[in-house]
Amino acid sequence: MAGSSQHAQWSSRWAFLMAAVGSAVGLGNIWKFPYVAGQGGGGAFVLVYLICAFMIGAPCLIAELSLGRRGQMSPVNSMTKIASEEGRSKAWSLLGWSGIVGAFIIISFYSLVGGWVLAYIGKAAMGFTGWTAATSESTFNSFIAEPFEPIVYHFLFMAITVGIVARGVQGGLEKAVEVLMPALFIILILLVVYSGVTGNFDAAIKFLFEPNFHKLTVNNILSAMGLAFFSLSLAMGSMMTYGSYLPKSVNIPRSAFIITASDSMVALLAGLAIFPIVFGYPGLEASKGPGLVFVTLPIAFGQMPGGTIVGPLFFALLGVAAITSSISLLEPAVSYMEERMGWNRIKTTATMGFAAFALGIFSSLGQEGNVLANVHIFGLSIMDLKDYIASNILMPIGAMFMMIFVGWFVSRKAMMEELAIQDKSFRVWYFLVRYVCPIAIAVIFANIIYATITG
Ligand code: PHE
């Protein structure tokens, strides 16, 4: 095992923030949030999502970043190191492992959807003029049903990710996020205004914010929580790894709040850009599933003046946002392999990236109309199954154990030192991490298990 000096550090607080926001903001906000919220029935789902993000996600993010900074190594070795410093079992390193495995599962399908985004840059440049809901729907459906083309884009997306990760955190990553994240934000606001004016904004607001609790099932609550974790990049080792590059001078709680707030904001903006179109045009449905963003937005781009410029720009920026997230999905495994095998960065990154690419091929072939479309496991397509395992099982359970570890197995003094916040704020956080969050997650799981058993 190599020492901590081997890893890089962020060059500034701003660079860290941008990278962490870059990890959090991605397909999870713009692709996944709208369609999962749509399937979850809107209103109450969104409310549960926001509560989970701020009450469970943010405290957990603080815990994860602190563990990384304390451990100064990859998730597995950081956990081993802190556990042994605190006189605890080595088994806590399993938390690092579940992160690495989870991140690997996610990146395998994340890169596929990232590839769809890249493909749509080209489609948008050719113009969506005259597209109706039906054209948009059939174009997307036939694209994902192709056995070959999406995989080429999936490969391209992974190759870009590998290229950046291979160059190291500072060289590749910092530069990309500093300019492009703010640009994405601006274009999203533009889209909200445009689709608000031309689509059905009232219906969208009602759908997203009117809490319709009768639509809320335990499964929906679990998906909302899983989505909040996914969107905040939690419990997958990503934030722990980013924390390990963090200088001591950075205030973790404040950063965590900024990350959570900007992440939720982008998700809501994406919802506000997409749902007015869903309700404004006949033939679109809120519960359409993973194709939602790819089917709705082209209609808007096709009609707006300058759509052939704004459209490709939007997909390009979404591609960047996706890449700044996929980088953070690959990084934990790479930093572990570097420590463990002593391999160089380029070899490690290329190997892991290729393996994840190979696993991702099945997600593509499992899309509707594609060659493995009939393969359903527990009623889920290959991509949905991977997402379920990572988002609804590994993330919440990992987050729960991480908070139990920090709250009960690491000394209070160590955490106070790490967070360096006022006594009162510390106590609130500590209470959430020790009691409220683990219990909330446990209760949701108990309900799911109960519901499954009783059918
Ligand atoms: N948070 C990222 C997104 O919203 C995805 C991600 C999940 C990244 C887990 C890292 C770890 O797109």
Side-chain angles (χ1 to χ4, degrees):
M1 199 191 298
S4 56
S5 55
Q6 153 192 36
H7 290 304
Q9 280 223 330
W10 302 110
S11 56
S12 66
R13 181 184 106 95
W14 176 246
F16 156 71
L17 257 186
M18 284 292 111
V21 171
S23 166
V25 173
L27 296 172
N29 310 60
I30 294 170
W31 161 70
K32 198 175 170 191
F33 173 82
Y35 92 75
V36 179
Q39 289 175 331
F45 182 98
V46 174
L47 188 66
V48 175
Y49 170 85
L50 290 173
I51 293 174
C52 288
F54 283 91
M55 296 287 290
I56 306 180
C60 181
L61 181 53
I62 295 175
E64 183 165 353
L65 289 170
S66 314
L67 285 174
R69 184 161 73 184
R70 226 177 157 71
Q72 286 287 305
M73 285 192 236
S74 71
V76 176
N77 290 330
S78 282
M79 287 306 298
T80 313
K81 185 174 155 205
I82 299 171
S84 87
E85 275 170 11
E86 300 286 331
R88 306 297 180 182
S89 157
K90 268 200 160 159
W92 284 106
S93 67
L94 275 176
L95 261 179
W97 277 114
S98 85
I100 288 185
V101 172
F104 189 77
I105 296 176
I106 294 178
I107 197 176
S108 76
F109 70 81
Y110 201 87
S111 163
L112 174 68
V113 180
W116 296 352
V117 172
L118 297 184
Y120 263 69
I121 301 175
K123 289 190 202 298
M126 314 240 275
F128 296 120
T129 321
W131 278 31
T132 60
T135 341
S136 196
E137 182 117 37
S138 70
T139 308
F140 178 75
N141 291 347
S142 49
F143 173 65
I144 58 165
E146 280 274 327
F148 194 61
E149 208 187 326
I151 295 176
V152 175
Y153 284 104
H154 165 44
F155 182 81
L156 186 65
F157 185 91
M158 188 65 87
I160 299 174
T161 304
V162 165
I164 298 178
V165 174
R167 291 179 58 201
V169 223
Q170 290 195 355
L173 225 148
E174 288 190 14
K175 303 267 164 349
V177 282
E178 282 183 9
V179 193
L180 299 168
M181 297 308 294
L184 177 71
F185 198 73
I186 292 170
I187 211 167
L188 253 185
I189 293 181
L190 203 95
L191 269 175
V192 172
V193 174
Y194 185 81
S195 73
V197 173
T198 57
N200 190 343
F201 198 63
D202 290 347
I205 293 277
K206 228 171 137 193
F207 180 75
L208 283 169
F209 299 111
E210 199 174 81
N212 39 0
F213 287 106
H214 63 280
K215 286 196 186 158
L216 208 58
T217 62
V218 245
N219 269 308
N220 274 342
I221 295 179
L222 178 66
S223 324
M225 180 169 72
L227 182 63
F229 288 133
F230 185 95
S231 187
L232 285 170
S233 307
L234 286 175
M236 295 286 101
S238 304
M239 289 298 184
M240 206 185 284
T241 310
Y242 278 13
S244 75
Y245 308 142
L246 199 54
K248 283 279 174 220
S249 57
V250 171
N251 179 319
I252 289 183
R254 194 185 315 139
S255 312
F257 181 77
I258 297 175
I259 297 165
T260 310
S262 22
D263 188 64
S264 307
M265 179 92 103
V266 174
L268 291 178
L269 284 177
L272 287 174
I274 287 170
F275 285 108
I277 303 174
V278 171
F279 297 117
Y281 295 85
L284 295 172
E285 268 169 60
S287 60
K288 144 134 197 68
L292 190 66
V293 63
F294 296 97
V295 172
T296 48
L297 293 185
I299 303 174
F301 293 133
Q303 296 182 351
M304 66 170 68
T308 40
I309 296 164
V310 183
L313 193 63
F314 170 80
F315 283 109
L317 290 172
L318 179 55
V320 173
I323 282 167
T324 56
S325 303
S326 67
I327 288 166
S328 74
L329 284 162
L330 199 55
E331 183 70 27
V334 169
S335 81
Y336 176 68
M337 294 301 247
E338 275 184 307
E339 288 168 1
R340 176 68 192 265
M341 309 291 220
W343 289 0
N344 73 35
R345 232 187 135 80
I346 298 182
K347 180 171 160 193
T348 320
T349 315
T351 311
M352 301 306 300
F354 189 77
F357 163 74
L359 184 64
I361 291 177
F362 297 98
S363 317
S364 186
L365 300 180
Q367 295 300 320
E368 222 162 289
N370 216 312
V371 286
L372 296 180
N374 290 332
V375 179
H376 277 89
I377 304 162
F378 302 119
L380 297 171
S381 73
I382 301 175
M383 183 161 94
D384 289 347
L385 178 72
K386 287 187 197 167
D387 185 24
Y388 194 92
I389 294 174
S391 308
N392 293 9
I393 300 175
L394 292 175
M395 281 180 162
I397 303 267
M400 180 172 85
F401 280 107
M402 197 152 66
M403 288 191 272
I404 292 176
F405 180 69
V406 165
W408 298 93
F409 292 84
V410 176
S411 74
R412 186 188 160 103
K413 193 170 145 275
M415 289 319 295
M416 283 188 82
E417 213 178 272
E418 205 56 60
L419 299 190
I421 40 171
Q422 278 185 349
D423 213 37
K424 220 163 142 198
S425 323
F426 182 84
R427 261 183 280 155
V428 173
W429 173 78
Y430 211 47
F431 184 71
L432 288 173
V433 161
R434 281 169 76 108
Y435 301 99
V436 180
C437 304
I439 292 174
I441 299 175
V443 167
I444 295 174
F445 269 99
N447 272 297
I448 292 281
I449 293 168
Y450 178 78
T452 316
I453 294 172
T454 55

